[in-house]
Every structure is written in structure tokens, then in C-alpha cells.
Amino acid sequence: MAGTRPEAVKIAPLLLDLRGRGLAPVLVATGQHRAMFGEALAEFGLRADHDLGAMAATPDAVVGPLLPMLADVMRQQAPDIVVVQGDTSSTLAGAMAARYAGVRLAHVEAGLRTGSDDPHPEEMHRKMVAQMAQLHFAPTAAAAAALAAEGVRTGVHVTGNSGIDALLLMQARLAGDAQLAASALAPVAQVPTGRPWILATVHRRENQGARLMGVLAALAELAGEAEVIVPVHPSPAVSGPVRAVLDGRAHVHLLPPLTYAPFVALMGRAALVLTDSGGVQEEAPALGLPCLVLRGATERPEGVASGNARLVGCETAAIVAAVRTVLGNPAERARMGRPALLYGAGGAAAAINCELLRPVPAASAQTSESWSRSDGHHRSSRAERR
Ligand code: UDP
């Protein structure tokens, strides 16, 4: 079950690997980011089997309407296991629906924590799903340690992040297909090449308002020293201010949200990325792209620890100073631009699927069945149901 752009990117490698094993996984799209989700999936030759269309303006408004729809899908499909990814409202709703139906639950990208209430509601979702899932696929050892610190010690597997599988797959496709590579860079064909390119993505709810204005003022100040390229997130709370401050400025290039191949190609071409995205923080080190993080804390500390990423927050002066340090100092640029596979090396989907397909120990199957019985929905044994 999945619903947002990053979930599409990170679930696609699992689906491709399962299909490669001759299986037919069922993908349920919640509809949270309907267009961006569908586009990202299509780039991997995939589409959802069920599209629930539960798009809503706020995360809390997504979960309630999804539960009865997901319950219907559960009844139709009678899955052996439900897989959710990440920390969105779709993740939480999928997890709840699985557990209400007494179905085993696996959480991909488990154990990410900032240790604070931010980002909200994502940190809350992660903790709730950790308490519900039987299988926890932690991308890194630090993520597994965070789960252990919360008492989640069984069913935890350190697998790497399937987002890096997706990235390496797309990178290989771009490298092997000149036509695809050329069309992927078409959205930036008009951007002059004389100055370094700063790629900026900003969309997080906690950065909207004054923090976003701080970021936009920094981008306006940096335009001219560099070409500033911003794929603008469709959320009106983001796109409105971005256009109001940056539209029409020299050396600023506002683009629609890019599909995955163009975005990967652009990351390969940029001198640095300014971002509040989680996925981009994982991808940038893998590509050797210096990453300045527009946040005060991150649930992906590995990039900061390795020197590939720096937390710069959203204050204009701090962002401008950090960008100038990277662009003006070749040693710093080289240090932050050392390619590093911190979040996986490309085998995450296969490792996760091996665990998903492992026969369930009798004791766990029993627990799952008694749970559903106590809820009044008796399910026959797993063998009978299949
Ligand atoms: N991405 C994309 N097009 C864009 C911006 C990002 O395909 O215009 C990809 C990016 O490569 C990463 C994912 O979308 O795989 C990150 O999504 P987002 O930043 O929306 O969410 P987060 O990772 O913060 O949850």
C-alpha cells in the first residue's frame, strides 16, 4: 500500500523483484499524491491494481476515509502480508487496516527517527507503525538501533533502503540509453552552463510559512553566482510563495515537479542540492552531490556523519554562507561530493523480499490468527486461505 511520490519510488524495486520471481504482488494506491505517484510508478513500468483516490488537503483527513476502503480491499484480496513504506498518512492507514484485518504487516524504511516531534506527523506515524508491524526493514544499523531503543527487537532486518535500488536502476538506465538521458535533461535544456547549478527542493509542511520565505530569500540572493533550479512542489502552500518571490528572476529556473528520470539526471548534473526532502538526502551522497539540508534535525544522520550532508536550517544568511563555502572552496566541494553508499548498495528489495517470502513461524501465525479471532473476524489458516 502506498500513496506518495517517494513511496512509489521506494516500493517499485520491491514490486519489480517480486515480479522477477514470478509472483503477482497487488499494489494498492491510496491516492494521497495521485498524479505524482502514478507518474513515478509508470517510469518503472508499473501501475496500481487499486486506486482509492483518497486525496485530501491535510494528513489527518486522509487516514479516516481510507480505513473502510482499505478494509474492502483486504476482504477482496485476502493478502498473506501487507507491506507499507515510510511515514505518511498512507503508511499509517495501510498499517492500521492490515492490523484491524489481522494480517501480518511489514514496514519498509523502519526506524528512522529525529528524536523530536518534528517532522510532524511523520515521526508520530513511524513510531506508531513500529508498534504495529511484525517485520521491520531498517535501512541502516542506526535505524535498527533506534527501533531497539523503543523495545522493537524481533523481526528487524537491516537491508539498505530500496530507494537506493531505484536510484541505481535509473542511473544505469540513463547511462545506457542516450535518448532517455537527452530527454531527461530536456527540462533544463535552456539553463546556461557557465555557472554552477544549484538544485533546490522544498516542500515539507514544517518548512512552510516563515521558514520557506527564509529559503526563498537565500535562493534569490544566490541567483547570479549560480543558476538556481527549483522543481516546484504542487502544494499551493509551497508553489504560491515560490512563484511570488522567484518567478521572473534572472538565473532562477522554476520547473514543474519533475518525474523521476529527469530528477535523477538533474541531480547528476548539479553542483549541490539544497533540500528538505528525505529521499534526496539519501540519493545525493550516492551520486556524490553535496547536500545542504534545509532542516534543523534529520532522521538520516549518516550523511551528516560522513560529511556528505550538512544541516543548514532555513535562515537566509546561514544558507547563503553554506552555499558559498561549498561553491567557493574546491576542497570542501570535493569532501562533500565524495560518492558514498550510506543508505544501501542496491540489494535492498531482494533482501526485503527474501524475508517477506520466508514461511511464517508457527507461533507467529498462531498469534495473528488469535488476534483476528478476538476481533470477531475468524480467518481460516494461511494454508486454507491460499
Ligand atoms: N523527486 C522527483 N522529482 C522531483 C523531486 C523529487 O522525482 O521534482 C524524487 C526524489 O528523487 C526522491 C523522491 O522524489 O526519490 C523524494 O520525494 P519527496 O521529496 O517528495 O519526499 P520525501 O523524500 O521528503 O518524503
Side-chain angles (χ1 to χ4, degrees), residues 5-6 9-10 201 203-204 231 233 256-260 263-264 267 276-280 283 295 300:
R5 173 174 64 192
V9 169
K10 291 174 173 179
T201 80
H203 73 290
R204 307 224 40 116
H233 196 275
L258 296 175
T259 54
Y260 189 55
F263 192 75
V264 171
M267 285 195 287
D276 61 4
S277 161
V280 175
E283 293 162 344
R295 300 203 209 169
R300 289 150 172 104

Side-chain angles (χ1 to χ4, degrees), residues 43 47 68 87 118 129 139 150 161 164 186 223 230 247 269-270 274-275 277 287 293 308 314-315 340 350:
E43 283 180 288
R47 59 197 296 269
D87 54 20
D118 261 359
V129 175
E150 291 171 11
N161 197 313
I164 299 300
V230 188
D247 215 1
R269 172 68 185 74
L274 275 168
T275 190
S277 161
L287 295 171
V293 183
N308 291 79
C314 293
E315 282 183 18

Side-chain angles (χ1 to χ4, degrees), residues 30-84:
T30 63
Q32 197 179 338
H33 287 173
R34 201 174 207 171
M36 291 198 296
F37 181 84
E39 282 166 8
L41 273 185
E43 283 180 288
F44 294 95
L46 297 166
R47 59 197 296 269
D49 300 283
H50 297 262
D51 183 356
L52 304 182
M55 205 158 171
T58 56
D60 52 335
V62 174
V63 177
L66 272 174
L67 289 177
M69 292 193 263
L70 290 170
D72 273 349
V73 175
M74 261 355 151
R75 272 189 289 273
Q76 281 172 43
Q77 297 289 344
D80 286 305
I81 190 156
V82 165
V83 179
V84 294

Side-chain angles (χ1 to χ4, degrees), residues 12-25 46 353 357:
L14 272 75
L15 296 170
L16 293 174
D17 180 80
L18 287 170
R19 285 188 173 187
R21 296 169 195 248
L23 298 168
L46 297 166
N353 286 339
L357 297 172

Side-chain angles (χ1 to χ4, degrees), residues 107-350:
H107 184 205
V108 173
E109 200 177 65
L112 272 60
R113 299 287 185 272
T114 58
S116 72
D117 288 339
D118 261 359
H120 181 76
E122 289 82 359
E123 185 88 351
M124 175 179 82
H125 292 162
R126 296 165 184 156
K127 289 181 179 166
M128 291 166 82
V129 175
Q131 295 304 318
M132 287 187 250
Q134 282 84 21
L135 287 172
H136 312 263
F137 298 113
T140 63
L147 289 169
E150 291 171 11
V152 179
R153 294 191 179 83
T154 52
V156 178
H157 303 273
V158 179
T159 57
N161 197 313
S162 56
I164 299 300
D165 296 19
L167 178 71
L168 299 180
L169 185 72
M170 188 53 77
Q171 217 187 2
R173 272 194 206 162
L174 288 164
D177 183 340
Q179 207 177 341
L180 176 67
S183 70
L185 283 171
V188 287
Q190 305 307 320
V191 179
T193 52
R195 297 180 182 79
W197 288 8
I198 296 175
L199 170 61
T201 80
V202 55
H203 73 290
R204 307 224 40 116
R205 194 170 296 274
E206 64 275 15
N207 276 350
Q208 291 168 6
R211 290 185 190 167
L212 178 58
M213 297 314 282
V215 173
L216 297 177
L219 295 178
E221 195 171 330
L222 290 162
E225 295 166 49
E227 303 295 336
V228 174
I229 303 172
V230 188
V232 184
H233 196 275
S235 159
V238 175
S239 60
V242 169
R243 295 199 184 286
V245 176
L246 296 179
D247 215 1
R249 273 187 186 262
H251 306 290
V252 174
H253 311 272
L254 301 185
L255 307 176
L258 296 175
T259 54
Y260 189 55
F263 192 75
V264 171
L266 180 52
M267 285 195 287
R269 172 68 185 74
L272 69 83
V273 63
L274 275 168
T275 190
D276 61 4
S277 161
V280 175
Q281 287 179 66
E282 293 153 359
E283 293 162 344
L287 295 171
L289 173 64
C291 182
L292 297 177
V293 183
L294 301 167
R295 300 203 209 169
T298 180
E299 58 290 273
R300 289 150 172 104
E302 295 85 352
V304 177
S306 70
N308 291 79
R310 257 185 70 192
L311 295 176
V312 295
C314 293
E315 282 183 18
T316 307
I319 296 169
V320 170
V323 169
R324 287 186 179 147
T325 302
V326 179
L327 294 186
N329 180 344
E332 178 68 1
R333 201 159 156 178
R335 193 180 68 87
M336 291 190 74
R338 247 188 347 253
L341 289 170
L342 307 172
Y343 300 97

